[in-house]
Amino acid sequence: MTTPFDDDKLHEECGVFGIYGDDDAAARAALGLHALQHRGQEAAGLVSFDGEQFHAHRDQGLVGDIFSSEEVIGRLPGHAAIGHVRYSTTGDTIMRNVQPLFAELNFGGFALAHNGNLTNARGLRRELVQRGSLFQSTTDTEVIIHLMATSDAGGLLDRMVAALLRTEGAYSLVALTDSCVIGVRDPLGVRPLVLGRLGGSHIVTSESCALDIIGADFVRDVEAGEMVVLDASGVHSLRPFPSVQRRFCIFEYIYFARPDSLVEGESVYKARKRIGAELSRESHVDADVVIPVPDSGVPAAIGYSEQSGIPFEVGIVRNHYVGRTFIEPAQQIRHLGVKLKHNANRSMIEGKRVVLVDDSIVRGTTSTKIVEMVRAAGATEVHMRIAAPPTAHSCFYGIDTPQREELLASALDVDGMARHIDVDSLAFISLDGLYRAMGEDGRNAELPQYCDACFTGEYPIRLSDFEDSDAPAQLSLLAELA
Ligand code: AMP
């Protein structure tokens, strides 16, 4: 039977932006979303409030296409706005899933945008539908709105907290009401959220690069478990959740966040360079040239080259007019996508022993094609170095990773992967090496400092929706980890 809540494809990658106290709120939010485009390329939306009314515009496609015209921005007046960029895995993005979601609740209008993924949304949804809630979308995010609508708590903020206390999973949320913009991070702070300021206006957004684009100053990270309220009197901080050890997603540093962003007080670019340097210390190989897989492998390759003394060269050129490989839905097209996207720079490769550096291997499609291309361009040896440990487990907290079976590292060990992608040698940074690069002594086995579930399978937040019999095998272990 197919029902809306059989939708188990709730994994989304997203970016959020909220601004309060700016006469051009929607225009600034559109720019902010443009800077966050790497976090989601499938759809985008904005909701603004002008003191009397809410206004919304959402569409599928890129921010630049959706919000480029003055006419569209002109239809979003007001001093406050929130926005969202979305990337969902399934390909069947339907307009009603495009965020921000909006509802008229009994205390007024309420718009909500979410980066992350709730891991008990299906269960909650079933319960809410049985009690009479009428869902408009298939997103996990809508559960929060229904929990708020049916809550006994007094004010809006109390209702929001009460709703969030019932959820499990990862969330960085921005919300818009008729009096404020709200930003909230889940108690573990899995996804990023930062505060900024531009003159008298305040901003809450996924990454600092969205502040830079509008000339706003970075103020600080919203802390794990913190709720911030941006209103006419400034920024107010609330601590509604019990305090727990933060577990920021380490993969944001490896791949997902933009290198020019500061997240959790750390430059993503510098972190990537240190990861590359550590990778070189751990798995040096004699070679003539270090070549990044562009763009995401570049900072790690620079770190690798500096540490090893092997010269860095741009040996692969990326065509920037093709989207990320993952956007294309079918496997055959994904293969084609990689060819469309990269070309070998033969003059830097021919006759050389090459170290290729990439941030991660997911399905192995990119690496296989790139290695073939580099060999065809005349490399005498190809050594692959990966700035992440093997990605052997799916993410359930908001990074779009394929099913576990499709992850190359879930099926093959490092030697097997090396044969599969046809390299002379393959090495991944170790988990402890990754933590060292992040400034730790190593990974604290008792209570890891980051969420690293995609490498370890240790999921720090319960995965209630996936504990049923139809769930992937690895998930049966999870109850005890919650
Ligand atoms: P694959 O070809 O499936 O092995 O994908 C690996 C490449 O995809 C890496 O070079 C990364 O730059 C990129 N990548 C890693 N994780 C993701 C993700 N969650 N979404 C989109 N691209 C990703």
Side-chain angles (χ1 to χ4, degrees):
M1 186 176 75
T2 305
T3 73
F5 29 92
D6 280 340
D7 184 356
D8 61 349
K9 289 152 181 167
L10 297 170
H11 307 226
E12 285 165 23
E13 302 182 330
C14 300
V16 294
F17 188 96
I19 182 164
Y20 188 95
D22 192 305
D23 288 340
D24 292 318
R28 302 224 200 271
L31 284 167
L33 294 184
H34 178 63
L36 297 175
Q37 188 80 82
H38 61 289
R39 298 186 73 86
Q41 298 100 36
E42 213 175 59
L46 278 176
V47 175
S48 71
F49 181 66
D50 65 6
E52 285 182 8
Q53 275 185 27
F54 289 86
H55 307 270
H57 185 75
R58 310 172 187 85
D59 209 344
Q60 301 187 47
L62 297 176
V63 177
D65 298 328
I66 302 170
F67 293 110
S68 56
S69 86
E70 280 182 26
E71 196 251 316
V72 169
I73 295 293
R75 283 194 266 125
L76 297 165
H79 60 279
I82 65 166
H84 188 259
V85 286
R86 168 187 162 88
Y87 177 139
S88 84
T89 40
T90 55
D92 61 16
T93 297
I94 33 178
M95 273 306 290
R96 60 201 172 102
N97 280 349
V98 180
Q99 298 191 20
L101 302 179
F102 181 79
E104 289 287 353
L105 300 177
N106 65 355
F107 43 78
F110 182 78
L112 184 63
H114 176 198
N115 170 214
N117 195 51
L118 302 182
T119 50
N120 65 342
R122 266 198 284 173
L124 288 172
R125 185 180 174 116
R126 223 171 266 139
E127 179 192 315
L128 285 157
V129 169
Q130 269 157 16
R131 282 179 12 217
S133 292
L134 301 172
F135 275 77
Q136 304 291 316
S137 75
T138 60
T139 64
D140 55 342
T141 313
E142 193 179 346
V143 163
I144 299 169
I145 294 182
H146 289 282
L147 287 171
M148 287 175 70
T150 53
S151 163
D152 297 332
L156 174 136
L157 294 179
D158 291 336
R159 283 180 182 230
M160 193 165 177
V161 170
L164 292 174
L165 283 170
R166 294 220 47 213
T167 65
E168 296 164 2
Y171 52 84
S172 281
L173 299 168
V174 297
L176 175 67
T177 75
D178 58 13
S179 60
C180 62
V181 164
I182 303 164
V184 200
R185 260 180 108 182
D186 69 73
L188 278 74
V190 175
R191 303 260 75 86
L193 198 64
V194 299
L195 270 174
R197 187 180 184 131
L198 178 65
S201 62
H202 299 280
I203 297 132
V204 59
T205 184
S206 298
E207 292 182 35
S208 64
C209 64
L211 301 173
D212 297 338
I213 193 171
I214 57 166
D217 292 325
F218 169 78
V219 175
R220 64 175 176 88
D221 289 281
V222 175
E223 286 175 26
E226 187 184 14
M227 176 180 244
V228 289
V229 180
L230 285 47
D231 65 14
S233 60
V235 177
H236 312 272
S237 166
L238 306 166
R239 292 287 188 167
F241 307 113
S243 125
V244 286
Q245 150 102 31
R246 65 184 268 276
R247 298 288 297 273
F248 183 65
C249 164
I250 205 159
F251 197 67
E252 291 269 355
Y253 285 117
I254 293 168
Y255 169 77
F256 200 40
R258 239 171 72 160
D260 52 340
S261 282
L262 268 182
V263 289
E264 295 294 90
E266 175 71 76
S267 149
V268 174
Y269 181 80
K270 285 189 186 164
R272 285 184 193 164
K273 272 183 73 175
R274 291 198 307 268
I275 296 170
E278 185 66 31
L279 182 60
S280 159
R281 276 189 284 272
E282 283 189 354
S283 55
H284 179 79
V285 59
D286 285 329
D288 304 310
V289 63
V290 172
I291 292 177
V293 179
D295 292 326
S296 45
V298 172
I302 295 174
Y304 194 102
S305 161
E306 281 179 7
Q307 175 64 33
S308 62
I310 305 171
F312 171 99
E313 293 292 355
V314 177
I316 298 164
V317 174
R318 174 171 162 194
N319 181 329
H320 282 265
Y321 306 97
V322 182
R324 284 187 176 187
T325 323
F326 271 46
I327 293 172
E328 285 134 34
Q331 188 72 18
Q332 315 89 292
I333 308 181
R334 211 177 290 115
H335 278 281
L336 182 66
V338 175
K339 272 195 229 147
L340 289 173
K341 200 165 146 183
H342 296 114
N343 189 31
N345 180 7
R346 181 174 269 276
S347 61
M348 284 299 123
I349 292 177
E350 199 160 17
K352 299 209 170 107
R353 296 168 300 168
V354 172
V355 183
L356 277 175
V357 179
D358 201 359
D359 61 279
S360 57
I361 292 181
V362 182
R363 294 180 177 89
T365 319
T366 311
S367 315
T368 308
K369 287 282 154 196
I370 294 275
V371 171
E372 194 185 322
M373 192 182 280
V374 168
R375 287 203 190 280
T380 56
E381 291 173 22
V382 182
H383 303 276
M384 187 95 188
R385 296 292 178 268
I386 302 295
T391 305
H393 306 269
S394 304
C395 177
F396 294 90
Y397 306 133
I399 299 275
D400 164 38
T401 39
Q403 295 273 332
R404 192 169 179 207
E405 310 79 77
E406 291 178 49
L407 297 171
L408 195 64
S410 81
L412 300 172
D413 62 10
V414 176
D415 286 344
M417 286 193 268
R419 279 193 295 278
H420 181 88
I421 64 175
D422 188 28
V423 281
D424 297 286
S425 78
L426 169 68
F428 294 79
I429 194 167
S430 68
L431 202 53
D432 273 326
L434 175 61
Y435 273 80
R436 277 195 298 278
M438 295 310 304
E440 309 287 343
D441 291 335
R443 182 178 190 264
N444 179 345
E446 303 292 305
L447 194 49
Q449 304 89 323
Y450 290 91
C451 177
D452 53 21
C454 51
F455 309 129
T456 59
E458 289 177 31
Y459 291 89
I461 308 170
R462 193 183 172 113
L463 304 178
S464 304
D465 282 346
F466 307 93
E467 282 163 12
D468 329 340
S469 51
D470 63 339
Q474 93 238 34
L475 300 178
S476 52
L477 304 170
L478 293 169
E480 65 235 47
L481 295 170

